[in-house]
PDB file of all heavy atoms in Angstrom:
ATOM      1  N   LEU N1281      89.175  38.299  96.628  1.00  0.00           N
ATOM      2  CA  LEU N1281      88.367  37.249  97.150  1.00  0.00           C
ATOM      3  C   LEU N1281      89.196  36.466  98.212  1.00  0.00           C
ATOM      4  O   LEU N1281      90.298  35.968  97.871  1.00  0.00           O
ATOM      5  CB  LEU N1281      87.835  36.337  96.105  1.00  0.00           C
ATOM      6  CG  LEU N1281      87.056  36.956  94.989  1.00  0.00           C
ATOM      7  CD1 LEU N1281      86.667  35.955  93.905  1.00  0.00           C
ATOM      8  CD2 LEU N1281      85.841  37.678  95.468  1.00  0.00           C
ATOM      9  N   ARG N1282      88.685  36.322  99.407  1.00  0.00           N
ATOM     10  CA  ARG N1282      89.395  35.504 100.389  1.00  0.00           C
ATOM     11  C   ARG N1282      89.099  34.007 100.138  1.00  0.00           C
ATOM     12  O   ARG N1282      87.984  33.674  99.730  1.00  0.00           O
ATOM     13  CB  ARG N1282      88.941  35.858 101.787  1.00  0.00           C
ATOM     14  CG  ARG N1282      89.164  37.302 102.210  1.00  0.00           C
ATOM     15  CD  ARG N1282      88.610  37.480 103.646  1.00  0.00           C
ATOM     16  NE  ARG N1282      88.636  38.865 104.111  1.00  0.00           N
ATOM     17  CZ  ARG N1282      89.522  39.399 104.862  1.00  0.00           C
ATOM     18  NH1 ARG N1282      90.533  38.651 105.271  1.00  0.00           N
ATOM     19  NH2 ARG N1282      89.418  40.640 105.279  1.00  0.00           N
ATOM     20  N   TYR N1283      90.040  33.182 100.507  1.00  0.00           N
ATOM     21  CA  TYR N1283      89.840  31.747 100.646  1.00  0.00           C
ATOM     22  C   TYR N1283      89.440  31.069  99.313  1.00  0.00           C
ATOM     23  O   TYR N1283      88.769  30.064  99.318  1.00  0.00           O
ATOM     24  CB  TYR N1283      88.804  31.454 101.720  1.00  0.00           C
ATOM     25  CG  TYR N1283      88.893  32.248 102.940  1.00  0.00           C
ATOM     26  CD1 TYR N1283      87.806  32.938 103.439  1.00  0.00           C
ATOM     27  CD2 TYR N1283      90.173  32.366 103.614  1.00  0.00           C
ATOM     28  CE1 TYR N1283      87.963  33.723 104.599  1.00  0.00           C
ATOM     29  CE2 TYR N1283      90.266  33.182 104.701  1.00  0.00           C
ATOM     30  CZ  TYR N1283      89.136  33.834 105.236  1.00  0.00           C
ATOM     31  OH  TYR N1283      89.259  34.592 106.323  1.00  0.00           O
ATOM     32  N   ARG N1284      89.765  31.704  98.163  1.00  0.00           N
ATOM     33  CA  ARG N1284      89.432  31.067  96.916  1.00  0.00           C
ATOM     34  C   ARG N1284      90.684  31.058  95.985  1.00  0.00           C
ATOM     35  O   ARG N1284      91.416  31.956  95.945  1.00  0.00           O
ATOM     36  CB  ARG N1284      88.338  31.858  96.178  1.00  0.00           C
ATOM     37  CG  ARG N1284      86.971  31.799  96.898  1.00  0.00           C
ATOM     38  CD  ARG N1284      86.460  30.396  96.980  1.00  0.00           C
ATOM     39  NE  ARG N1284      86.326  29.756  95.694  1.00  0.00           N
ATOM     40  CZ  ARG N1284      85.155  29.766  94.992  1.00  0.00           C
ATOM     41  NH1 ARG N1284      84.120  30.405  95.452  1.00  0.00           N
ATOM     42  NH2 ARG N1284      85.085  29.169  93.865  1.00  0.00           N
ATOM     43  N   GLU N1285      90.862  29.890  95.326  1.00  0.00           N
ATOM     44  CA  GLU N1285      91.944  29.793  94.370  1.00  0.00           C
ATOM     45  C   GLU N1285      91.525  30.382  93.036  1.00  0.00           C
ATOM     46  O   GLU N1285      91.131  29.676  92.105  1.00  0.00           O
ATOM     47  CB  GLU N1285      92.378  28.317  94.228  1.00  0.00           C
ATOM     48  CG  GLU N1285      92.962  27.720  95.453  1.00  0.00           C
ATOM     49  CD  GLU N1285      93.539  26.333  95.232  1.00  0.00           C
ATOM     50  OE1 GLU N1285      93.740  25.976  94.061  1.00  0.00           O
ATOM     51  OE2 GLU N1285      93.772  25.630  96.191  1.00  0.00           O
ATOM     52  N   THR N1286      91.543  31.685  92.959  1.00  0.00           N
ATOM     53  CA  THR N1286      91.103  32.389  91.784  1.00  0.00           C
ATOM     54  C   THR N1286      91.938  33.650  91.604  1.00  0.00           C
ATOM     55  O   THR N1286      92.452  34.199  92.570  1.00  0.00           O
ATOM     56  CB  THR N1286      89.624  32.802  91.866  1.00  0.00           C
ATOM     57  OG1 THR N1286      89.297  33.562  90.751  1.00  0.00           O
ATOM     58  CG2 THR N1286      89.360  33.583  93.139  1.00  0.00           C
ATOM     59  N   ASP N1287      92.132  34.051  90.381  1.00  0.00           N
ATOM     60  CA  ASP N1287      92.864  35.233  90.067  1.00  0.00           C
ATOM     61  C   ASP N1287      91.919  36.420  89.693  1.00  0.00           C
ATOM     62  O   ASP N1287      92.316  37.402  89.075  1.00  0.00           O
ATOM     63  CB  ASP N1287      93.857  35.015  88.913  1.00  0.00           C
ATOM     64  CG  ASP N1287      94.983  34.093  89.285  1.00  0.00           C
ATOM     65  OD1 ASP N1287      95.371  34.202  90.442  1.00  0.00           O
ATOM     66  OD2 ASP N1287      95.426  33.292  88.468  1.00  0.00           O
ATOM     67  N   SER N1288      90.690  36.295  90.118  1.00  0.00           N
ATOM     68  CA  SER N1288      89.696  37.335  89.807  1.00  0.00           C
ATOM     69  C   SER N1288      90.076  38.640  90.471  1.00  0.00           C
ATOM     70  O   SER N1288      90.513  38.648  91.645  1.00  0.00           O
ATOM     71  CB  SER N1288      88.337  36.885  90.253  1.00  0.00           C
ATOM     72  OG  SER N1288      87.860  35.840  89.464  1.00  0.00           O
ATOM     73  N   HIS N1289      89.901  39.750  89.754  1.00  0.00           N
ATOM     74  CA  HIS N1289      90.123  41.062  90.302  1.00  0.00           C
ATOM     75  C   HIS N1289      88.829  41.851  90.182  1.00  0.00           C
ATOM     76  O   HIS N1289      88.191  41.849  89.108  1.00  0.00           O
ATOM     77  CB  HIS N1289      91.220  41.812  89.510  1.00  0.00           C
ATOM     78  CG  HIS N1289      92.560  41.126  89.539  1.00  0.00           C
ATOM     79  ND1 HIS N1289      92.839  39.973  88.879  1.00  0.00           N
ATOM     80  CD2 HIS N1289      93.689  41.504  90.162  1.00  0.00           C
ATOM     81  CE1 HIS N1289      94.106  39.615  89.113  1.00  0.00           C
ATOM     82  NE2 HIS N1289      94.650  40.551  89.846  1.00  0.00           N
ATOM     83  N   ILE N1290      88.434  42.489  91.236  1.00  0.00           N
ATOM     84  CA  ILE N1290      87.197  43.274  91.269  1.00  0.00           C
ATOM     85  C   ILE N1290      87.553  44.732  91.564  1.00  0.00           C
ATOM     86  O   ILE N1290      88.372  44.984  92.538  1.00  0.00           O
ATOM     87  CB  ILE N1290      86.192  42.769  92.283  1.00  0.00           C
ATOM     88  CG1 ILE N1290      85.857  41.300  92.034  1.00  0.00           C
ATOM     89  CG2 ILE N1290      84.917  43.613  92.277  1.00  0.00           C
ATOM     90  CD1 ILE N1290      85.010  40.643  93.117  1.00  0.00           C
ATOM     91  N   TYR N1291      87.053  45.631  90.789  1.00  0.00           N
ATOM     92  CA  TYR N1291      87.360  47.059  91.005  1.00  0.00           C
ATOM     93  C   TYR N1291      86.042  47.832  91.083  1.00  0.00           C
ATOM     94  O   TYR N1291      85.214  47.796  90.169  1.00  0.00           O
ATOM     95  CB  TYR N1291      88.116  47.594  89.800  1.00  0.00           C
ATOM     96  CG  TYR N1291      89.421  46.842  89.507  1.00  0.00           C
ATOM     97  CD1 TYR N1291      89.412  45.781  88.636  1.00  0.00           C
ATOM     98  CD2 TYR N1291      90.636  47.168  90.103  1.00  0.00           C
ATOM     99  CE1 TYR N1291      90.559  45.034  88.354  1.00  0.00           C
ATOM    100  CE2 TYR N1291      91.774  46.459  89.894  1.00  0.00           C
ATOM    101  CZ  TYR N1291      91.736  45.365  88.988  1.00  0.00           C
ATOM    102  OH  TYR N1291      92.851  44.673  88.744  1.00  0.00           O
ATOM    103  N   GLN N1292      85.849  48.438  92.251  1.00  0.00           N
ATOM    104  CA  GLN N1292      84.647  49.315  92.443  1.00  0.00           C
ATOM    105  C   GLN N1292      85.092  50.752  92.152  1.00  0.00           C
ATOM    106  O   GLN N1292      85.881  51.313  92.922  1.00  0.00           O
ATOM    107  CB  GLN N1292      84.090  49.179  93.856  1.00  0.00           C
ATOM    108  CG  GLN N1292      83.013  50.215  94.225  1.00  0.00           C
ATOM    109  CD  GLN N1292      81.748  50.006  93.410  1.00  0.00           C
ATOM    110  OE1 GLN N1292      81.030  49.005  93.560  1.00  0.00           O
ATOM    111  NE2 GLN N1292      81.433  50.955  92.524  1.00  0.00           N
ATOM    112  N   ILE N1293      84.548  51.334  91.088  1.00  0.00           N
ATOM    113  CA  ILE N1293      84.925  52.703  90.696  1.00  0.00           C
ATOM    114  C   ILE N1293      83.650  53.546  90.723  1.00  0.00           C
ATOM    115  O   ILE N1293      82.701  53.307  90.003  1.00  0.00           O
ATOM    116  CB  ILE N1293      85.522  52.717  89.255  1.00  0.00           C
ATOM    117  CG1 ILE N1293      86.735  51.792  89.208  1.00  0.00           C
ATOM    118  CG2 ILE N1293      85.900  54.132  88.864  1.00  0.00           C
ATOM    119  CD1 ILE N1293      87.309  51.620  87.806  1.00  0.00           C
ATOM    120  N   THR N1294      83.618  54.505  91.619  1.00  0.00           N
ATOM    121  CA  THR N1294      82.429  55.327  91.826  1.00  0.00           C
ATOM    122  C   THR N1294      82.828  56.764  91.468  1.00  0.00           C
ATOM    123  O   THR N1294      83.803  57.333  92.003  1.00  0.00           O
ATOM    124  CB  THR N1294      81.957  55.244  93.258  1.00  0.00           C
ATOM    125  OG1 THR N1294      81.654  53.851  93.593  1.00  0.00           O
ATOM    126  CG2 THR N1294      80.720  56.094  93.464  1.00  0.00           C
ATOM    127  N   CYS N1295      81.964  57.355  90.636  1.00  0.00           N
ATOM    128  CA  CYS N1295      82.197  58.780  90.269  1.00  0.00           C
ATOM    129  C   CYS N1295      80.889  59.509  90.293  1.00  0.00           C
ATOM    130  O   CYS N1295      79.961  59.158  89.521  1.00  0.00           O
ATOM    131  CB  CYS N1295      82.841  58.879  88.886  1.00  0.00           C
ATOM    132  SG  CYS N1295      83.209  60.608  88.421  1.00  0.00           S
ATOM    133  N   SER N1296      80.752  60.512  91.186  1.00  0.00           N
ATOM    134  CA  SER N1296      79.497  61.203  91.322  1.00  0.00           C
ATOM    135  C   SER N1296      79.779  62.505  92.046  1.00  0.00           C
ATOM    136  O   SER N1296      80.561  62.523  92.981  1.00  0.00           O
ATOM    137  CB  SER N1296      78.527  60.369  92.129  1.00  0.00           C
ATOM    138  OG  SER N1296      77.311  61.013  92.357  1.00  0.00           O
ATOM    139  N   GLY N1297      79.129  63.643  91.610  1.00  0.00           N
ATOM    140  CA  GLY N1297      78.283  63.701  90.470  1.00  0.00           C
ATOM    141  C   GLY N1297      78.935  64.616  89.386  1.00  0.00           C
ATOM    142  O   GLY N1297      79.815  65.367  89.634  1.00  0.00           O
ATOM    143  N   ILE N1298      78.302  64.526  88.225  1.00  0.00           N
ATOM    144  CA  ILE N1298      78.725  65.362  87.108  1.00  0.00           C
ATOM    145  C   ILE N1298      78.572  66.820  87.470  1.00  0.00           C
ATOM    146  O   ILE N1298      79.419  67.651  87.154  1.00  0.00           O
ATOM    147  CB  ILE N1298      77.917  65.028  85.853  1.00  0.00           C
ATOM    148  CG1 ILE N1298      78.296  63.588  85.398  1.00  0.00           C
ATOM    149  CG2 ILE N1298      78.183  65.987  84.745  1.00  0.00           C
ATOM    150  CD1 ILE N1298      77.474  63.088  84.205  1.00  0.00           C
ATOM    151  N   LYS N1299      77.473  67.164  88.129  1.00  0.00           N
ATOM    152  CA  LYS N1299      77.251  68.513  88.624  1.00  0.00           C
ATOM    153  C   LYS N1299      76.533  68.388  89.976  1.00  0.00           C
ATOM    154  O   LYS N1299      75.351  68.763  90.092  1.00  0.00           O
ATOM    155  CB  LYS N1299      76.451  69.317  87.633  1.00  0.00           C
ATOM    156  CG  LYS N1299      76.469  70.876  87.865  1.00  0.00           C
ATOM    157  CD  LYS N1299      75.737  71.613  86.795  1.00  0.00           C
ATOM    158  CE  LYS N1299      75.873  73.120  86.968  1.00  0.00           C
ATOM    159  NZ  LYS N1299      75.437  73.633  88.294  1.00  0.00           N
ATOM    160  N   ASN N1300      77.220  67.936  90.938  1.00  0.00           N
ATOM    161  CA  ASN N1300      76.651  67.761  92.292  1.00  0.00           C
ATOM    162  C   ASN N1300      77.767  67.403  93.226  1.00  0.00           C
ATOM    163  O   ASN N1300      78.796  66.858  92.824  1.00  0.00           O
ATOM    164  CB  ASN N1300      75.568  66.710  92.301  1.00  0.00           C
ATOM    165  CG  ASN N1300      74.431  67.111  93.234  1.00  0.00           C
ATOM    166  OD1 ASN N1300      74.616  67.807  94.214  1.00  0.00           O
ATOM    167  ND2 ASN N1300      73.254  66.646  92.936  1.00  0.00           N
ATOM    168  N   GLU N1301      77.596  67.670  94.551  1.00  0.00           N
ATOM    169  CA  GLU N1301      78.571  67.337  95.541  1.00  0.00           C
ATOM    170  C   GLU N1301      77.884  67.006  96.846  1.00  0.00           C
ATOM    171  O   GLU N1301      76.715  67.389  97.049  1.00  0.00           O
ATOM    172  CB  GLU N1301      79.541  68.526  95.757  1.00  0.00           C
ATOM    173  CG  GLU N1301      80.439  68.801  94.553  1.00  0.00           C
ATOM    174  CD  GLU N1301      81.249  70.079  94.700  1.00  0.00           C
ATOM    175  OE1 GLU N1301      81.062  70.808  95.701  1.00  0.00           O
ATOM    176  OE2 GLU N1301      82.081  70.368  93.840  1.00  0.00           O
ATOM    177  N   PHE N1302      78.567  66.324  97.730  1.00  0.00           N
ATOM    178  CA  PHE N1302      78.059  65.940  99.070  1.00  0.00           C
ATOM    179  C   PHE N1302      78.245  67.111 100.003  1.00  0.00           C
ATOM    180  O   PHE N1302      79.289  67.780  99.904  1.00  0.00           O
ATOM    181  CB  PHE N1302      78.789  64.687  99.523  1.00  0.00           C
ATOM    182  CG  PHE N1302      78.044  63.966 100.646  1.00  0.00           C
ATOM    183  CD1 PHE N1302      77.178  62.932 100.328  1.00  0.00           C
ATOM    184  CD2 PHE N1302      78.256  64.280 101.993  1.00  0.00           C
ATOM    185  CE1 PHE N1302      76.526  62.224 101.310  1.00  0.00           C
ATOM    186  CE2 PHE N1302      77.592  63.583 102.995  1.00  0.00           C
ATOM    187  CZ  PHE N1302      76.692  62.558 102.649  1.00  0.00           C
ATOM    188  N   PRO N1303      77.351  67.334 100.931  1.00  0.00           N
ATOM    189  CA  PRO N1303      77.539  68.438 101.898  1.00  0.00           C
ATOM    190  C   PRO N1303      78.802  68.306 102.755  1.00  0.00           C
ATOM    191  O   PRO N1303      79.074  67.170 103.178  1.00  0.00           O
ATOM    192  CB  PRO N1303      76.267  68.389 102.771  1.00  0.00           C
ATOM    193  CG  PRO N1303      75.289  67.634 101.978  1.00  0.00           C
ATOM    194  CD  PRO N1303      76.045  66.659 101.091  1.00  0.00           C
ATOM    195  N   GLU N1304      79.520  69.352 102.866  1.00  0.00           N
ATOM    196  CA  GLU N1304      80.661  69.358 103.779  1.00  0.00           C
ATOM    197  C   GLU N1304      80.325  70.250 105.018  1.00  0.00           C
ATOM    198  O   GLU N1304      79.500  71.140 104.869  1.00  0.00           O
ATOM    199  CB  GLU N1304      81.900  69.941 103.057  1.00  0.00           C
ATOM    200  CG  GLU N1304      82.595  69.005 102.072  1.00  0.00           C
ATOM    201  CD  GLU N1304      83.386  67.912 102.790  1.00  0.00           C
ATOM    202  OE1 GLU N1304      83.260  67.767 104.014  1.00  0.00           O
ATOM    203  OE2 GLU N1304      84.044  67.144 102.085  1.00  0.00           O
TER     204      GLU N1304
END
């Protein structure tokens, strides 16, 4: 977080798919 006196940590974890993939 910018410009805030905070120690918050945010983690975006994306996992997809279990049996699927994006076209290459």
Side-chain angles (χ1 to χ4, degrees):
L1281 305 178
R1282 299 178 189 262
Y1283 319 129
R1284 293 299 301 267
E1285 293 187 16
T1286 175
D1287 290 325
S1288 292
H1289 298 73
I1290 303 171
Y1291 305 90
Q1292 171 67 67
I1293 303 172
T1294 303
C1295 183
S1296 178
I1298 293 175
K1299 195 177 187 302
N1300 218 331
E1301 295 172 353
F1302 199 92
E1304 283 288 9

